[in-house]
Amino acid sequence: MHRMPTRRWAAGLAAGLALLGLAAQARAQDYPARPVTLVVWTAPGGSIDVLSRMVAEKLSQRWKQPVVVENKPGASGIPASEYVARAPADGHTLLVTINTTHINNPVLRSKLPYDPVRDFEPVSQLAIGSVVLIAPAAHPADNVAELLALAGRKGTSVSYGSWGIGSSAHLFGELLRRRSGVDLVHIAYKGEMPAITDMLGGHLDVTFAGGGTTRAQLPGGKIKVLGITGPRRIRALPGVATFAEQGLPGFELAGWVAVYAPARTPKALVHRIAADLAEVVAAPDVQARMIENGFEPVGSTPEQFEALYKAEYPKWAELIKASGAATE
């Protein structure tokens, strides 16, 4: 026969839970105890890498501990995500990523070495970032519509670069191919900069890139921007029209940049990191630099980011379906 818990037992349980809560709060207050690593799955020099280093610099000052960026590029962020998922759940290894790793990959691939929900704790959405399509400055097309028209008249294929199979850039390229009927050939890279380098070297016709990476390349006079995905123009490139403004609907989704911790990281610690990230993002100099680099600053709570994830997942899944990108 099962007995109802006694008051003494219940009181002891409550006391034990309270002590665990206090211990978690103490760990959050003492954090970080050693250097913190921000794992970034793109190659150095790209938009996400630049943003991550900006945040790392500010966090180092705030936490009085080194915060280092470790690049683990390639395979659409799968190795980087798996690495963080298996790291100790103590807040000293964090993933800075975009929607590719936690939305696109799960929809496109039947098997992943990580579960985007079960293996991670959402910490904070740092920013919104749109994807732009760029070409060499000498290219005869000045916008997306002209690019498609030229390719259609010549009946030739156009090669385009992305930062990985299943990335937002890949999806937008495949959607453009299906909607236009132009033969667009996808070539995946480990980051934006390798693709831009190949394009400028004549090995690639056009490539997708982040707004910040693109803006940084403009002063050299070697590239031009053909169009911007997302719902509206971005402040870093106010003179460039969106795909929708050019008569190409369906490209209105904008990506996000966010931070994840390994699953089972104490909630108190997750909220401590999120609060510090939000204050960093809210700093006027950081906001100015983020906007200059093509991002719209956010700095959310874990709950706000989790709600965004749940709302965005079906929208990106629909885009993947519409793009015709192959699944594995």
Side-chain angles (χ1 to χ4, degrees):
M1 179 183 295
H2 294 286
R3 294 182 178 179
M4 293 295 290
T6 65
R7 291 183 179 179
R8 181 178 297 176
W9 181 88
L13 176 61
L17 291 174
L19 287 173
L20 287 174
L22 289 173
Q25 291 177 7
R27 286 196 298 272
Q29 290 173 356
D30 294 339
Y31 173 87
R34 59 182 185 279
V36 175
T37 300
L38 302 183
V39 178
V40 180
W41 71 267
T42 59
S47 296
I48 311 306
D49 177 70
V50 170
L51 186 152
S52 300
R53 294 180 188 279
M54 186 190 314
V55 171
E57 178 186 355
K58 290 293 185 178
L59 288 177
S60 294
Q61 297 170 4
R62 187 178 190 85
W63 289 342
K64 310 303 182 185
Q65 285 280 2
V67 179
V68 298
V69 171
E70 183 175 345
N71 297 91
K72 290 185 176 295
S76 299
I78 294 174
S81 299
E82 182 183 12
Y83 177 83
V84 174
R86 295 183 177 182
D90 57 10
H92 289 83
T93 303
L94 303 170
L95 178 68
V96 182
T97 187
I98 57 179
N99 41 286
T100 297
T101 58
H102 282 63
I103 295 182
N104 302 17
N105 285 349
V107 175
L108 281 165
R109 303 170 187 267
S110 58
K111 293 183 180 179
L112 285 173
Y114 65 89
D115 185 288
V117 176
R118 187 181 61 242
D119 293 338
F120 296 90
E121 294 286 346
V123 179
S124 180
Q125 180 193 8
L126 299 180
I128 298 170
S130 294
V131 178
V132 304
L133 183 63
I134 63 176
H139 198 285
D142 290 324
N143 53 55
V144 182
E146 289 183 4
L147 172 71
L148 297 177
L150 283 170
R153 283 200 299 270
K154 294 180 180 179
T156 59
S157 63
V158 174
S159 59
Y160 76 93
S162 81
W163 52 83
I165 295 172
S167 66
S168 303
H170 177 209
L171 297 181
F172 286 134
E174 290 305 291
L175 182 61
L176 189 61
R177 178 182 64 81
R178 286 170 67 96
R179 295 279 175 85
S180 67
V182 171
D183 186 14
L184 299 177
V185 179
H186 175 232
I187 301 176
Y189 291 83
K190 291 185 176 182
E192 300 156 272
M193 289 309 300
I196 292 173
T197 300
D198 256 15
M199 182 187 74
L200 294 177
H203 308 296
L204 190 65
D205 292 317
V206 297
T207 188
F208 285 96
T213 306
T214 299
R215 191 178 187 279
Q217 296 294 315
L218 285 175
K222 296 181 179 180
I223 68 169
K224 65 172 68 173
V225 188
L226 304 183
I228 300 173
T229 65
R232 61 187 65 86
R233 298 190 185 196
I234 59 175
R235 284 181 278 183
L237 301 166
V240 180
T242 65
F243 278 53
E245 288 177 308
Q246 298 183 45
L248 296 163
F251 298 84
E252 290 82 10
L253 278 175
W256 40 254
V257 185
V259 175
Y260 283 94
R264 296 174 296 281
T265 301
K267 293 292 185 183
L269 181 53
V270 169
H271 281 85
R272 157 73 194 279
I273 297 171
D276 286 346
L277 285 169
E279 291 199 19
V280 165
V281 171
D285 60 329
V286 173
Q287 294 239 331
R289 290 171 64 190
M290 289 178 76
I291 292 168
E292 181 181 340
N293 280 279
F295 297 103
E296 294 298 323
V298 179
S300 74
T301 66
E303 292 77 17
Q304 289 169 334
F305 176 38
E306 186 174 14
L308 171 78
Y309 176 83
K310 290 178 179 178
E312 290 280 280
Y313 194 102
K315 297 177 184 178
W316 281 102
E318 183 60 31
L319 173 61
I320 292 170
K321 181 180 178 181
S323 75
T327 57
E328 296 180 358

